[in-house]
Amino acid sequence: QRPEWEHDGRHLLFMEKAFGDAYRLDIEAGAVTPLTTHFFHDGFDRILTLPNGDYLLTGTRDFDAKDPWKTRHRLEMFVLDRGLAKPAVPLEEWCDEGPAVSRTRMHLAWTSPGQRELYEADIVYVGGKPSLANKRLVLSYADRPMTERLETQDFRPPDERELLFSCYSGTVAEPFYFSDVCGIDLETGHITNYTGTPEVYDEPENVFPDGRYTMVESDRHGVNRKWKIDVYRLALDGSNRADRITRFDASGGPYHGSNPVVSPDGRFAAVQLGIHGMGAGQGRGLVLVDLTAWEKSLGER
């Protein structure tokens, strides 16, 4: 589950399970390499690649098998050296859900636990040890209703001036019924809502290399509040135009597509195969979508 592309476009990173180990898949050869089994740990939840070749992990140092989800929304960030000879180094910063990592600079953004604030910072190395510097508050929902939450998703290329994020809304008991795709200009603070559909679940996941589109998990094809989502390509031009990519839910079965990520050359998408009722973000397999063939199929329908 939780796929991410390495910058070479030949390898996929993924997690075996929540609070498990991270692995790297060679797409052509099919070879799988463990990345976190060389040291003891309490489990990781996500892995992303950094521009220098090291890895950013989120996980916990307080895993409790009797209550495995207690740290689900309070994950610590770590840096794993690409040489895979040392344990991951904690950054002493906690996040909720997945961070956004720059493709070109040692920079990241994340959501603080509680999903009410977004931050950004640089990753620096002092004496070979990674740490965070220049931490800055990007956006706060402290003055907004508790039924509204935030989640960082991706820096928008090519200049990465904009940070894409989810704006969730719902009830106090369940604030994640709906989601809009939003972006904040990191220089001016101006926010753009790219969907503006307050009763539809549209969660941005990964932006295309040219910055014109983003992948979204959406239930716009069916009944909302059920999280029976599939993957769409959403235009980031304010039109709210979205083209459906996966149709796992079309048969009415137990499956859905989630956590889509686009390859660095824009040719392929890796999609997590989810099962209704498993829990948000959990998966049972990865599929590869040929986006060139999919694009052609749009004109044939």
Side-chain angles (χ1 to χ4, degrees):
Q1 61 185 32
R2 302 288 190 184
E4 291 288 346
W5 289 93
E6 283 205 304
H7 294 312
D8 62 9
R10 294 179 50 247
H11 297 89
L12 268 180
L13 309 175
F14 68 93
M15 303 303 307
E16 59 165 337
K17 62 181 178 181
F19 301 108
D21 278 301
Y23 291 82
R24 179 175 60 214
L25 169 67
D26 185 311
I27 297 293
E28 292 187 6
V32 175
T33 302
L35 301 178
T36 57
T37 57
H38 61 282
F39 63 99
F40 293 108
H41 56 80
D42 277 46
F44 297 106
D45 200 54
R46 301 194 187 206
I47 180 169
L48 301 97
T49 185
L50 294 169
N52 70 345
D54 288 347
Y55 301 101
L56 181 73
L57 296 162
T58 67
T60 182
R61 286 187 280 176
D62 187 29
F63 182 74
D64 183 356
K66 295 181 180 179
D67 187 9
W69 302 114
K70 75 175 184 178
T71 56
R72 169 75 169 78
H73 291 283
R74 182 175 170 79
L75 299 170
E76 191 170 0
M77 293 188 286
F78 303 77
V79 170
L80 176 66
D81 185 272
R82 59 189 176 278
L84 304 181
K86 299 180 289 186
V89 178
L91 293 177
E92 305 293 342
E93 187 70 57
W94 283 258
C95 66
D96 196 327
E97 294 290 352
V101 174
S102 169
R103 294 162 174 78
T104 60
R105 54 201 172 109
M106 296 296 286
H107 191 78
L108 74 162
W110 68 95
T111 309
S112 61
Q115 294 186 287
R116 302 279 287 169
E117 295 178 331
L118 306 182
Y119 290 90
E120 66 176 342
D122 299 316
I123 299 177
V124 298
Y125 292 78
V126 179
K129 182 180 178 180
S131 62
L132 294 180
N134 306 314
K135 178 181 175 181
R136 183 181 79 92
L137 177 66
V138 173
L139 179 64
S140 174
Y141 268 18
D143 296 328
R144 296 178 70 123
M146 286 298 292
T147 53
E148 297 183 15
R149 305 294 176 90
L150 300 163
E151 183 184 331
T152 53
Q153 296 295 347
D154 214 346
F155 291 100
R156 184 178 179 181
D159 58 11
E160 296 191 343
R161 173 173 168 167
E162 185 177 30
L163 175 66
L164 298 177
F165 65 94
S166 303
C167 177
Y168 299 110
S169 60
T171 67
V172 173
E174 181 47 79
F176 307 108
Y177 276 140
F178 309 116
S179 176
D180 270 321
V181 177
C182 296
I184 182 169
D185 187 307
L186 293 171
E187 293 183 11
T188 67
H190 176 74
I191 296 174
T192 302
N193 188 323
Y194 289 105
T195 46
T197 49
E199 293 192 357
V200 174
Y201 189 89
D202 285 314
E203 180 183 354
E205 288 292 339
N206 186 239
V207 69
F208 280 67
D210 61 8
R212 295 172 58 205
Y213 302 94
T214 186
M215 290 283 198
V216 296
E217 298 173 349
S218 179
D219 64 3
R220 59 175 63 202
H221 55 274
V223 180
N224 51 28
R225 301 195 183 192
K226 298 296 183 183
W227 295 286
K228 293 186 176 180
I229 54 177
D230 255 325
V231 174
Y232 289 73
R233 183 187 67 178
L234 175 75
L236 291 173
D237 58 5
S239 67
N240 194 29
R241 179 172 60 85
D243 297 304
R244 191 171 180 179
I245 295 177
T246 65
R247 295 178 177 270
F248 292 117
D249 193 43
S251 64
Y255 304 107
H256 61 260
S258 64
N259 295 100
V261 286
V262 186
S263 61
D265 60 8
R267 293 179 56 201
F268 297 96
V271 178
Q272 175 179 287
L273 180 63
I275 300 176
H276 301 333
M278 282 184 54
Q282 307 309 306
R284 284 294 181 270
L286 305 177
V287 298
L288 201 62
V289 179
D290 184 330
L291 291 175
T292 302
W294 169 77
E295 184 82 43
K296 182 181 178 181
S297 75
L298 289 179
E300 297 173 348
R301 292 176 189 170

